[in-house]
């Protein structure tokens, strides 16, 4: 840490901030500001697919028709037409909820923070996948969470290793079943059912984070955990009332635009009531203007059409990255083949450490995130997260070539040393 | 609390949420949604003064010229041109800071929350004014703060009562020197100097909250505490480097528009470094789009011109409320005469309780916030907060008439009972 001048403020930090370090990813992203670096490090949507015209039209409409409301304070729960739209969205996912089950948040990162504040006492153990979403660890470290983990394989969380962890009584289970960040994995239907069944048996609440669910490039949509939980209620498949064992996090960041900061939580009414209290203290409400603009831009079928276009663009980029990896990665490397989302997860041959490789990679103008960042209890040194949504296919091809060469060089001395 | 269905989530709330109740003000505001109610309860800017054309033009410019950046993720610290603009603003307030001293927040409510997360351990005592801003208490209750208080008189914090409280070692002192919410008071220069001197002597950091500082309707601008603190550094008056004993909170909510949710903190670099970590976990960053739109709308002199117009409108409304109070309030009531801001503070005759009066007031279609809400350690039953920015002069006149009649009725039986 930089050597700052001391002030009366600086020796009084709360103990919860001890050992808290800045996000490895965000610090790394600063290095990748160099325009010559081909970055697979961020989790950025491609700006080429941002619906500028639609947002422009939405801004004009909102200001012309509801300008005074759009610039005023508004309710903590969120803009009602937006929450109603999100209910209709959830219904297509097989779950019946009302606006009383929905809280609009300032990105789904805020939902993670509010849930942490609501649920986590110092020392509580949260059960996560290993690896897991770094932002969740960041949000919860402020509440002094501890962790239990279940490892991923190429199909996601290994449900056969889950029961032992559930037995030790975690506060809740946090999981990304679709197109995992960072793992790129998708949990098969059988594992989803088994997971919900086990969690239900042990009374463990599930927090389902689904930022990428609509971005599927192959295969069939799988039911969300919140839907499977609703099925357990015994209602007919056509009308699953929300049951509340699973809370669901969604976001418009990957389908509309992250710069608007619109996410949402679906939760039991009693939890929403408490989360609203937390959010009142945290930021009063999410910007009225961006909520209204997001609603105007998204509703009435536009978002579905737009998501189709994003799928085409990102699907092509995923294919480009898979092809480039086949071509340029040395033997002994392997990687996940994501059915959707923004990321894949590559593992290097035995003996290599992606955390050491990153510096040489940056010299060669290619960036990734070392895998160890995503493990709350350590591990992952041989792995890395590669984003394929941000760069176009040509850049992907060139970036993977550079990356393959860096890895190759690190392998070479070993091969020489072993006659 | 409503009787909600239990779920695995609902019996697992963190202990920090015990006894936390929804904001009295926000619950009250729901009742005032009735369009016939004349509400002095909110802290709402007048929508008539929102600069719709300027925001409209700013949106178009941002989307046309920087649309892809505006809709993308951005840095946690905030949009650099906006932070540079805020530095220039602070320089006019007599304080030299760099963008490294400025963090853009999602309204200044978020700054209060992040500072709470950074500074407050369970049980830490925060020194506030009594009454004080309710949103600060709400933000900090989640971190289990306790409170010490210094009472206000008609000139604000009573500095002759301050030293005893500083001696007992509060974590920091939170104060609103200008046009106090809810008190409507303005701390005179002599008290400002004494306060900074005392806090400095006891090593107590000061958090200066200044949402209304530019909205002065009479008298001369007084130096901010952060400026007085800088003077103590001994530098020439023309160039006061930021010293760091005082952190400063500002907002565009009262000068541009609250629906954009743009606030800022000025703090020592080492504190900003930590607050950025907190904000990463809390919401990654404030909406890129609203930051850019706020900058485009505000910079280049527009905000100054616009603030002049707001001053005229609100100054007239303040005068209307003071005149109406003179005319309609029964003998024995008194109230502060704010030099600026949005609120004044009225005190009822002995024996009346504003918390009981509010129900009858709502029946008579007039609303205020009972004073007790603003006291962290109790008190204030005879007082009420009246907002004068939201209603036009005619509504103010009529609302105060209704309020006077309600108070009159409550006084009358007593006067009969005493022969």
């Amino acid at each position: 840490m930089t050597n700052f001048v001391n002030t009366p403020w600086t020796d009084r930090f709360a103990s919860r901030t001890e050992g808290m370090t800045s996000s490895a990813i965000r610090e790394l992203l600063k290095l990748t500001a160099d325009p010559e670096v081909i970055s697979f490090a961020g989790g950025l949507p491609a700006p080429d697919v941002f619906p500028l015209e639609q947002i422009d039209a939405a801004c004009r409409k909102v200001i012309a028709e509801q300008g005074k409301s759009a610039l005023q304070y508004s309710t903590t729960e969120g803009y009602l037409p937006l929450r109603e739209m999100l209910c209709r969205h959830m219904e297509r996912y097989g779950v019946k909820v009302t606006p009383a089950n929905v809280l609009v948040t300032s990105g789904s990162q805020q939902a993670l923070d509010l849930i942490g504040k609501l649920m986590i006492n110092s020392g509580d153990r949260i059960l996560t996948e290993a690896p897991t979403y770094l932002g969740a660890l960041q949000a919860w470290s402020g509440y002094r969470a501890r962790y239990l983990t279940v490892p991923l394989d190429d199909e996601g969380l290994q449900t056969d290793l889950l029961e032992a962890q559930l037995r030790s009584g975690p506060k809740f289970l946090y999981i990304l079943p679709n197109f995992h960040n960072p793992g790129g994995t998708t949990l098969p239907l059988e594992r989803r059912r088994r997971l919900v069944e086990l969690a239900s048996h042990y009374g463990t609440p599930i927090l389902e984070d689904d930022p990428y669910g609509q971005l599927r490039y192959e295969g069939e949509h799988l039911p969300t955990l919140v839907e499977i939980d609703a099925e357990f209620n015994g209602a007919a498949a056509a009308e699953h009332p929300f049951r509340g064992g699973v809370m669901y996090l969604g976001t418009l960041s990957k389908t509309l635009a992250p710069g608007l900061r619109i996410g949402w939580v679906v939760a039991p009414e009693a939890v929403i009531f408490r989360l609203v209290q937390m959010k009142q203290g945290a930021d009063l409400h999410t910007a009225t203007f961006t909520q209204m603009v997001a609603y105007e831009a998204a509703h009435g079928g536009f978002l579905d059409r737009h998501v189709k276009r994003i799928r085409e663009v990102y699907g092509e980029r995923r294919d480009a990255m898979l092809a480039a990896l086949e071509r340029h990665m040395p033997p002994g490397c392997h990687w996940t083949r994501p059915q959707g989302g923004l990321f894949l997860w590559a593992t290097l041959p035995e003996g290599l450490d992606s955390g050491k490789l990153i510096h040489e990679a940056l010299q060669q103008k290619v960036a990734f995130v070392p895998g160890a960042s995503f493990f709350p209890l350590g591990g992952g040194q041989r792995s890395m997260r590669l984003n394929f949504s941000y760069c176009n296919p040509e850049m992907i091809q060139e970036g993977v070539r550079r990356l393959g060469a860096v890895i190759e060089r690190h392998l070479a001395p070993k091969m020489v040393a072993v006659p």
Side-chain angles (χ1 to χ4, degrees), chain A:
Chain A
M1 184 168 147
T2 326
N3 199 5
F4 295 114
V5 176
N6 276 345
T7 76
W9 285 100
T10 45
D11 21 300
R12 293 177 172 232
F13 294 145
S15 54
R16 73 172 64 83
T17 70
E18 278 159 23
M20 193 180 273
T21 56
S22 193
S23 155
I25 289 192
R26 292 189 79 86
E27 293 307 310
L28 187 64
L29 284 176
K30 288 183 186 167
L31 296 177
T32 64
D34 175 353
E36 285 183 12
V37 169
I38 294 177
S39 179
F40 304 137
L44 301 187
D48 318 329
V49 300
F50 289 154
L52 286 175
E53 283 176 28
Q54 185 75 7
I55 299 279
D56 190 27
C59 287
R60 291 174 195 223
K61 188 159 191 281
V62 164
I63 292 174
E65 295 177 8
Q66 309 173 76
K68 290 180 181 178
S69 310
L71 298 183
Q72 188 56 284
Y73 287 111
S74 57
T75 60
T76 306
E77 289 82 352
Y79 180 49
L80 186 58
L82 177 62
R83 286 155 66 216
E84 288 169 343
M85 181 187 91
L86 297 171
C87 289
R88 292 191 295 275
H89 173 78
M90 294 308 297
E91 198 165 338
R92 286 163 45 181
Y93 273 16
V95 182
K96 279 205 187 304
V97 290
T98 74
N101 297 116
V102 178
L103 171 66
V104 176
T105 56
S106 303
S108 65
Q109 183 67 38
Q110 186 184 42
L112 292 168
D113 183 54
L114 298 176
I115 288 166
K117 194 184 275 188
L118 177 59
M119 302 301 303
I120 302 174
N121 286 315
S122 173
D124 277 351
R125 286 162 312 166
I126 312 303
L127 179 53
T128 73
E129 297 159 289
T132 188
Y133 172 57
L134 185 55
L137 303 178
Q138 254 191 294
W140 299 335
S141 64
Y143 307 107
R144 301 196 133 191
R146 290 188 298 152
Y147 296 95
L148 298 167
T149 60
V150 181
L152 298 185
D153 63 17
D154 284 356
E155 299 200 303
L157 185 144
Q158 299 186 46
T159 39
D160 54 337
L161 303 177
L162 180 60
E163 194 162 6
Q165 304 294 16
L166 290 174
R167 261 200 211 105
S168 60
K171 194 73 177 257
F172 60 85
L173 164 61
Y174 172 67
I175 179 169
L176 302 98
N178 290 323
F179 327 131
H180 194 276
N181 175 5
T185 55
T186 298
L187 202 67
L189 183 57
E190 266 321 299
R191 287 198 188 180
R192 290 177 193 231
R193 291 207 172 113
R194 179 73 181 137
L195 183 141
V196 172
E197 185 183 39
L198 279 170
S200 179
H201 177 77
Y202 285 96
T204 307
I206 298 173
L207 180 58
E208 177 177 27
D209 194 357
D210 193 23
Y212 321 108
Q214 292 177 272
L215 304 182
R216 177 178 275 280
Y217 318 128
E218 68 177 50
E220 290 300 308
H221 173 75
L222 293 174
T224 56
L225 303 182
V226 68
E227 178 176 8
I228 293 171
D229 184 55
E231 282 173 13
F232 277 15
N233 207 22
E239 34 172 314
H240 294 139
F242 180 57
R243 185 167 159 271
V246 178
M247 293 212 291
Y248 178 93
L249 305 185
T251 177
L252 295 179
S253 291
K254 308 307 186 291
T255 51
L256 195 64
L260 301 175
R261 310 304 302 124
I262 306 287
W264 71 91
V265 195
V266 177
E269 266 188 74
V271 176
I272 294 290
F273 180 90
R274 292 290 197 158
L275 289 174
V276 165
Q277 294 179 324
M278 303 288 137
K279 187 167 164 66
Q280 281 177 6
D283 65 358
L284 295 183
H285 60 83
T286 295
T288 325
F289 186 58
T290 55
Q291 289 189 71
M292 286 187 168
V293 167
Y295 169 73
E296 280 305 331
H299 86 293
F302 173 80
L303 197 62
D304 289 339
R305 294 193 298 278
H306 185 62
V307 162
K308 265 188 202 154
R309 172 159 152 62
I310 296 177
R311 278 196 209 114
E312 281 165 24
V313 173
Y314 291 2
E316 190 190 347
R317 292 177 179 195
R318 177 203 61 165
D319 294 345
M321 184 168 273
L322 288 173
L325 288 166
E326 283 297 345
R327 182 157 168 202
H328 295 296
M329 292 303 255
C333 298
H334 63 94
W335 50 88
T336 52
R337 283 157 209 281
Q339 297 167 25
L342 309 188
F343 305 105
L344 64 74
W345 184 250
T347 306
L348 304 175
E350 199 91 38
L352 290 198
D353 181 336
S354 64
K356 290 180 181 160
L357 237 70
I358 183 64
H359 306 286
E360 193 180 330
L362 282 169
Q363 281 168 5
Q364 300 303 317
K365 308 286 186 194
V366 61
F368 58 86
V369 182
S373 317
F374 305 98
F375 287 77
L377 304 176
Q381 279 79 6
R382 277 170 59 205
S383 51
M384 56 175 69
R385 188 189 76 174
L386 299 177
N387 166 272
F388 54 78
S389 61
Y390 185 70
C391 300
N392 66 34
E394 295 67 43
M395 289 164 69
I396 288 175
Q397 157 75 16
E398 171 59 17
V400 172
R401 191 193 62 72
R402 294 179 192 172
L403 186 58
V406 168
I407 298 170
E408 195 94 52
R409 263 196 297 281
H410 277 257
L411 284 173
K414 267 223 169 132
M415 293 164 74
V416 171
V418 181

